[in-house]
Amino acid sequence: MARMKRFMAVTDKVYTKVLEDGDFDFIGFMVARGLDGGEMLDLLEACAVRLGEDWACDACSFVHVTLAMSRLQRILTTLGQENSSFESGLCDRSALFVVPRGEIHLFAVSLMEERFRLKGWECRMVPACDPRQLSRLLRQGGFELVCLTWLDSELENQVESLLRVVRASVNREQTFVIAGGSAAELNSEWLIERGVEKICSNAHMAITEAERHDANRNPARKMTDDNGSLLKPMRRV
C-alpha cells in the first residue's frame, strides 16, 4: 500500500510537469525515487491515460494534450535508447511490431515495444510498413513474434494487405501472430479469420501469450522473470 501511494504521488508530480515543463529531468526524477523499469513504463502509461481522460472532459485543451503527449513520447524514446545499447544477437527472442500506414498514434505501440524489451526480447518496430518491406523483413528476420497494432478502424484495407503478407511469409510453427489496439478488439473475429492467433487487450496479456508460445516452442528455455531493468537490459550469459 505504501509503495502504491508513493507511486501515485510520483505520477501526480510527473503528470503536472508533463503538462507544464518540457525541460524537467523526468528520467532523473524517476530514477532518484527508486522506480524500476516496469514502474517507469507504468507511470508513463498512467500519464497518457490521464491525458485522455482530461481531454474527454475538456479539462485540457488540444494544444496542452498534444504538447504533453510529445513530451511523453520523448521520455519513452530516451528510455528506449538506453535499453537498446546492446549488441544484436544477445537476445534469443525477437519481435516485430507492425503498424499499418495511416496510424498516427504511436505512443501505445512504443510503450509495448519497451515492455517486451524489458522482458529480454529483441524488438523492431516498422511504422507505416508497406507490404514489400514487411515481406522482406519477415523472410529474413526469423521473428518469434509478429504484433500488429491497429487503432484506426478506417485502415481495414491496409491491415488486410499486411496480414496477407504475414500469412505468405512466416513459418507458423515458429512465429506467433498477435494483434492489439482498439480497432483490433472491435474486429477480433475478422482478424482471426485472416491468421491472427490472439487479440490482446493490453501489453501484459501480449507478453504472457508471447512467452507461453515461446516456452511451448522451446521447452528448454526458462521463462523470463521480472528482474530485468529498462536502463540495464538483460543479457544472455
Side-chain angles (χ1 to χ4, degrees):
M1 182 63 71
R3 189 170 180 84
M4 176 60 68
K5 288 181 177 178
R6 182 174 64 84
F7 178 80
M8 293 305 299
V10 174
T11 302
D12 290 341
K13 174 74 170 181
V14 170
Y15 183 70
T16 300
K17 289 294 185 180
V18 162
L19 284 173
E20 300 174 355
D21 185 1
D23 296 325
F24 184 69
D25 181 9
F26 294 97
I27 295 176
F29 179 82
M30 293 187 289
V31 170
R33 279 147 187 81
L35 270 64
D36 61 28
E39 289 173 320
M40 290 183 192
L41 297 181
D42 289 341
L43 188 153
L44 296 183
E45 185 173 19
C47 286
V49 169
R50 193 180 300 184
L51 272 176
E53 293 171 346
D54 285 352
W55 165 251
C57 67
D58 294 326
C60 282
S61 69
F62 175 77
V63 172
H64 280 99
V65 170
T66 301
L67 288 173
M69 281 305 304
S70 69
R71 288 167 185 157
L72 286 176
Q73 184 66 61
R74 188 166 67 247
I75 299 165
L76 183 59
T77 298
T78 301
L79 290 174
Q81 289 169 346
E82 293 285 348
N83 192 40
S84 62
S85 57
F86 55 86
E87 297 176 14
S88 177
L90 287 176
C91 294
D92 53 7
R93 299 178 298 181
S94 57
L96 181 68
F97 295 85
V98 179
V99 183
R101 188 179 301 278
E103 288 284 12
I104 58 174
H105 302 292
L106 298 181
F107 180 78
V109 66
S110 298
L111 193 71
M112 180 179 289
E113 181 187 15
E114 290 309 318
R115 289 195 186 279
F116 269 87
R117 212 185 293 275
L118 183 62
K119 286 289 189 176
W121 289 71
E122 184 175 358
C123 300
R124 179 165 182 178
M125 182 170 70
V126 282
C129 189
D130 68 71
R132 284 178 297 180
Q133 177 193 15
L134 179 59
S135 178
R136 185 166 56 251
L137 284 171
L138 290 172
R139 293 180 187 280
Q140 297 174 355
F143 298 99
E144 280 75 34
L145 174 72
V146 173
C147 178
L148 169 72
T149 299
W150 183 18
L151 301 169
D152 185 348
S153 293
E154 298 297 319
L155 301 178
E156 181 178 309
N157 289 340
Q158 292 282 352
V159 170
E160 184 159 28
S161 175
L162 294 178
L163 289 178
R164 280 199 301 267
V165 175
V166 171
R167 289 198 302 272
S169 305
V170 301
N171 177 344
R172 298 310 292 268
E173 292 185 1
Q174 175 191 8
T175 304
F176 188 47
V177 181
I178 65 175
S182 53
E185 291 187 74
L186 288 172
N187 296 278
S188 57
E189 291 186 8
W190 185 87
L191 288 170
I192 289 170
E193 289 171 358
R194 285 155 180 78
V196 175
E197 297 172 72
K198 194 74 177 181
I199 313 300
C200 299
S201 58
N202 56 60
H204 296 292
M205 179 181 179
I207 291 170
T208 298
E209 293 294 336
E211 293 194 333
R212 179 182 294 122
H213 176 269
D214 185 63
N216 291 337
R217 184 180 60 82
N218 187 352
R221 192 198 310 282
K222 181 182 178 181
M223 293 290 283
T224 304
D225 58 23
D226 292 324
N227 63 359
S229 166
L230 185 67
L231 301 181
K232 295 181 180 178
M234 289 191 302
R235 298 172 180 264
R236 244 187 336 148
V237 210

